[in-house]
Amino acid sequence: MPIRRRTSLIVVGIATILLLAFFFVVPALIRVDRYRPDVISYLQEKTGKQVEIGRLALTFSPITIHIDQIGVKNPPIFPAGYMVRVARIDAELSLRALLHRQVVIKSLVLESPILNLTSDPDGPWNFENPQSKASANTFPLGLISSVKINRGAVIASNLLPSDAAGPVFFEAHEISCELQEVNVAGILNPSSSSMDGRGSLRAGLVRFGSVEATNLDSKLRLESRHVFFTEIKAQVYGGRAVGGLSFDLSGKNASFKTDARLSGINLAQLLAAFPSGGGKMTGRMEGDVKLAGEIAHSLRPLAEIRGTGHVTVRNGQVPSLKLNANLMKLAHFNDLGPAKNDPSSFNVITTDLELADQRISSRVIDIDGYGVDVDGSGSVSVSGSDELNYRGLAEITTKESFFTNTVARLSGATLKDGKLQFPFRIGGTIDSPVFSKGKGDTDGDAVQNQR
């Protein structure tokens, strides 16, 4: 073998060994974990919060800092606990920036992060650093091109006026998220007006108030103290929901807006999610709903929400109302063919909704029962009293005998096109409704049946 060729092979072999040493031996010799106290001190100075780090490590190709078991505790004005805990963070660094003695993070991967967001009654959130002496613009992470989250969780709550912990109003679990152009300084700085990140998010479970959704898929945008979930698709109580949800964190009280289109919702499962809602109504619901409001620092943070909507419920029951049976009792006759069967059931209910002042109001309610059709209006309290205030006009859809019609008319019903009609009112509560006769078709509150 020629000497030159042999020399070349030796040089290549040495170079390979050095390269392998660079990638496998040098990181071990550097022992970046010995700088952990300095890193902790630096982060605490920049964030104004107590920081814990379990271990630091360094690998090459690409150059990546590994942080195991990192935790950031709540600032002093909040209850003791962690604002965020992450099982592992992998931060890829820019080699070009390092050659210029700069630290630039190209990407972050967060494994199993748990983010606890808490708002104080006086305004600040626990992720802000209003007490930090350092400027938020000097925070070391800056703008990050890519952030990936695996198996994450977010839990949001308000403190009560007494500074005691309040109930959780939003939570998401089993989060998988990919964000681009994440501005960490903007997120921490209360005066930021920048775009703080955008991307996509998936969650196995999302709960807002008492309502749950599973297998949620959406676009996500972080912008100047606002969080936008757009193009949402989710499974909700046996059906589906699409739409959007946004949070505004800039005010003393956080606020929200949501616009949802619903289909195939199991109404019994939905109502069972609310206190005392179980067993009130069954059927499949579809329609659209818009809700908005402030999230109060109280034991009922969503009590003052408002909204509008239009829904249709098919093939269900309202056991407590027993619609047909009660209406028949008002007219003092019972044997009306289809009207006597399955007295708590209905075929279709269509209604508009308006939620305000802890009351749901409907201007037009159209109920197609089995043998009885009802047009009505009214409202129900959602403040806890479950008070009912409804009125309407019921029509027996089958023509009856002369004797039955005569008795019914003497009892207050009217005859139109051979079918009996009579006004009614419903008071009392959802669990104990009280039926009474209306004042006739001259009653201003009674709804005229146009069938």
Side-chain angles (χ1 to χ4, degrees):
M1 179 182 293
I3 296 177
R4 180 177 297 178
R5 183 179 178 186
R6 184 167 41 192
T7 303
S8 299
L9 290 175
I10 293 173
V11 170
V12 171
I14 294 174
T16 302
I17 294 173
L18 291 176
L19 187 61
L20 291 173
F22 178 77
F23 284 109
F24 296 104
V25 179
V26 172
L29 294 177
I30 292 178
R31 292 184 60 234
V32 294
D33 193 56
R34 64 181 177 177
Y35 297 106
R36 180 159 44 99
D38 297 325
V39 173
I40 291 174
S41 178
Y42 184 73
L43 291 175
Q44 290 183 160
E45 178 186 356
K46 296 300 181 181
T47 64
K49 302 175 180 65
Q50 186 176 348
V51 177
E52 298 176 353
I53 294 177
R55 179 176 175 271
L56 292 176
L58 174 68
T59 59
F60 290 87
S61 187
I63 301 175
T64 304
I65 297 290
H66 306 281
I67 308 174
D68 292 332
Q69 301 300 330
I70 182 171
V72 181
K73 292 191 173 182
N74 284 328
I77 63 173
F78 291 89
Y82 288 90
M83 182 200 80
V84 62
R85 300 187 75 175
V86 188
R88 181 184 176 95
I89 296 178
D90 297 327
E92 180 184 346
L93 306 181
S94 169
L95 177 59
R96 179 178 298 181
L98 286 176
L99 295 176
H100 291 83
R101 297 184 179 181
Q102 296 177 341
V103 177
V104 175
I105 297 177
K106 295 175 60 177
S107 67
L108 280 180
V109 178
L110 286 74
E111 298 290 344
S112 303
I114 301 176
L115 179 60
N116 292 285
L117 302 177
T118 308
S119 173
D120 184 80
D122 295 325
W125 287 81
N126 61 340
F127 61 83
E128 298 173 355
N129 57 349
Q131 296 181 342
S132 175
K133 298 179 181 179
S135 170
N137 294 327
T138 65
F139 191 74
L141 295 183
L143 191 67
I144 303 174
S145 298
S146 173
V147 174
K148 185 175 182 180
I149 296 173
N150 298 320
R151 298 179 297 276
V154 175
I155 301 170
S157 62
N158 284 339
L159 297 184
L160 302 178
S162 64
D163 285 337
V168 172
F169 63 81
F170 176 85
E171 56 185 309
H173 300 272
E174 303 172 39
I175 294 174
S176 174
C177 182
E178 294 186 6
L179 297 172
Q180 296 81 46
E181 305 301 322
V182 177
N183 181 10
V184 177
I187 293 174
L188 295 176
N189 185 0
S191 62
S192 170
S193 59
S194 63
M195 170 76 76
D196 297 330
R198 55 183 175 79
S200 61
L201 177 143
R202 293 183 178 181
L205 172 66
V206 175
R207 182 180 294 111
F208 183 42
S210 298
V211 178
E212 290 186 359
T214 58
N215 298 323
L216 181 142
D217 191 344
S218 78
K219 302 295 184 183
L220 175 63
R221 189 170 80 252
L222 308 175
E223 181 179 337
S224 182
R225 283 298 180 276
H226 290 74
V227 181
F228 299 91
F229 299 90
T230 59
E231 301 180 34
I232 291 176
K233 298 177 182 178
Q235 297 177 4
V236 181
Y237 301 109
R240 291 188 60 80
V242 298
L245 171 65
S246 65
F247 292 96
D248 181 353
L249 310 182
S250 61
K252 187 174 182 180
N253 287 339
S255 61
F256 79 97
K257 292 182 180 179
T258 184
D259 182 353
R261 294 176 295 284
L262 311 172
S263 61
I265 305 299
N266 187 317
L267 192 58
Q269 293 180 13
L270 173 62
L271 293 177
F274 295 88
S276 304
K280 297 297 188 295
M281 191 173 183
T282 67
R284 291 282 177 175
M285 184 177 70
E286 60 189 46
D288 57 87
V289 178
K290 293 182 178 181
L291 299 172
E294 289 192 345
I295 303 172
H297 292 80
S298 71
L299 293 175
R300 299 184 64 197
L302 301 178
E304 298 300 326
I305 64 175
R306 59 190 184 278
T308 59
H310 191 278
V311 299
T312 298
V313 183
R314 303 181 187 276
N315 301 320
Q317 293 181 322
V318 187
S320 64
L321 292 182
K322 296 181 180 178
L323 180 66
N324 293 351
N326 282 285
L327 292 180
M328 297 308 97
K329 188 181 298 183
L330 291 179
H332 298 293
F333 55 93
N334 299 301
D335 188 14
L336 291 176
K340 69 179 180 179
N341 295 324
D342 205 1
S344 66
S345 299
F346 60 87
N347 184 22
V348 179
I349 295 179
T350 301
T351 182
D352 63 290
L353 301 172
E354 182 175 355
L355 173 60
D357 300 322
Q358 301 186 56
R359 200 167 190 91
I360 299 177
S361 302
S362 299
R363 293 189 296 270
V364 178
I365 305 171
D366 183 2
I367 304 176
D368 294 335
Y370 293 99
V372 178
D373 287 344
V374 177
D375 287 328
S377 62
S379 64
V380 57
S381 172
V382 292
S383 64
S385 66
D386 296 335
E387 176 192 3
L388 301 172
N389 183 15
Y390 287 94
R391 58 271 184 190
L393 188 68
E395 177 182 271
I396 307 303
T397 58
T398 56
K399 295 183 179 181
E400 304 303 321
S401 68
F402 173 79
F403 176 77
T404 301
N405 288 340
T406 300
V407 173
R409 294 180 69 177
L410 291 175
S411 301
T414 59
L415 192 64
K416 184 177 181 180
D417 298 328
K419 299 177 182 179
L420 291 174
Q421 294 182 347
F422 50 90
F424 68 91
R425 291 176 178 260
I426 305 176
T429 65
I430 293 177
D431 286 328
S432 300
V434 177
F435 284 75
S436 61
K437 295 179 183 178
K439 298 179 181 179
D441 55 13
T442 59
D443 185 353
D445 286 335
V447 178
Q448 296 299 308
N449 196 325
Q450 301 299 322
R451 293 182 177 83

